[in-house]
């Protein structure tokens, strides 16, 4: 009986030790899982190693046009893996579109204010004042007049509005040793400021002329511009 009683104690002790070992093992596993989860969470908030974006940012974050409040802004990833040549090409296109948009916006508000060239636009007696404004007005220009405009723009594109002589100081410099308007009298800080102003005005004009084209289709009236 005594031996049986001792055997029962030994069996219970063994079961207790097994449960203790199992519990300790479970706690250890739980701690490991928690630590792993914490490490994973920390890794999720760590800076991602995005090579393309970092390369583009490091290469062009200090270029003219990367200004407050957006700074370097390339949501479409056009500069991913880009070199200086590609950046210069994109900057050239941006400047050209900005300059054209500034002229287009100015043309819109000028003609809508009633300022027109005197005389007729063709030999049939159609006056400049008879031509409407905006996109609808461009469709009213006689075919011969439209062809002359296209030829003039083509001549500017191919022979004038480009770096013909190779003397440009920066992308978009089309002075070609002929036009200056006092540019060479400015210090470097002033030159950078004026280039930044042109770039920002061009960006605003691109949005502005697009807005006018949309409102022309919607109709109504706009401040300064007038009836659409």
């Amino acid at each position: 009986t005594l031996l049986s009683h001792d055997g029962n104690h030994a069996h219970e002790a063994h079961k207790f030790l097994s449960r203790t070992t199992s519990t300790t093992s479970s706690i250890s596993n739980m701690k490991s899982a928690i630590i792993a989860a914490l490490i994973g969470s920390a890794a999720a908030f760590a800076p991602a190693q995005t090579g393309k974006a970092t390369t583009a940012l490091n290469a062009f974050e200090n270029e003219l046009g990367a200004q407050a409040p957006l700074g370097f802004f390339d949501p479409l990833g056009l500069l991913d893996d880009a070199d200086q040549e590609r950046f210069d090409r994109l900057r050239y296109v941006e400047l050209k579109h900005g300059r054209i948009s500034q002229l287009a916006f100015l043309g819109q508000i000028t003609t809508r204010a009633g300022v027109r060239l005197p005389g007729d636009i063709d030999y049939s007696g159609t006056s400049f004042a008879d031509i409407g404004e905006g996109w609808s007005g461009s469709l009213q220009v006689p075919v011969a007049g439209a062809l002359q405009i296209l030829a003039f723009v083509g001549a500017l594109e191919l022979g004038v509005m480009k770096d013909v002589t190779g003397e440009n100081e920066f992308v978009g410099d089309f002075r070609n040793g002929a036009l200056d308007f006092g540019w060479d009298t400015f210090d470097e800080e002033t030159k950078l400021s004026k280039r930044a102003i042109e770039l920002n005005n061009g960006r605003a004009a691109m949005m502005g002329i697009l807005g006018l084209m949309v409102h022309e289709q919607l109709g109504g009236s706009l401040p300064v511009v007038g009836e659409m």
Side-chain angles (χ1 to χ4, degrees), residues 214-226:
V214 171
H215 278 283
E216 185 179 352
Q217 302 303 314
L218 297 177
S221 178
L222 293 175
V224 180
V225 179

Side-chain angles (χ1 to χ4, degrees), residues 197-213:
I197 290 171
E198 182 195 23
L199 195 58
N200 283 337
N201 286 348
R203 291 168 175 173
M206 284 188 273
M207 300 301 295
I209 192 60
L210 179 62
L212 287 180
M213 293 170 67

Side-chain angles (χ1 to χ4, degrees), residues 44-65:
F45 289 95
Q49 299 299 318
T50 52
K52 291 184 178 180
T54 303
T55 301
L57 179 61
N58 291 339
F60 305 113
E61 64 178 345
N62 294 321
E63 288 284 353
L64 186 71

Side-chain angles (χ1 to χ4, degrees), residues 110-111 114-123 125-131:
T110 300
T111 55
V115 179
R116 304 298 179 89
L117 292 173
D120 297 334
I121 195 173
D122 59 16
Y123 291 115
T126 304
S127 67
F128 286 100
D130 294 333
I131 305 298

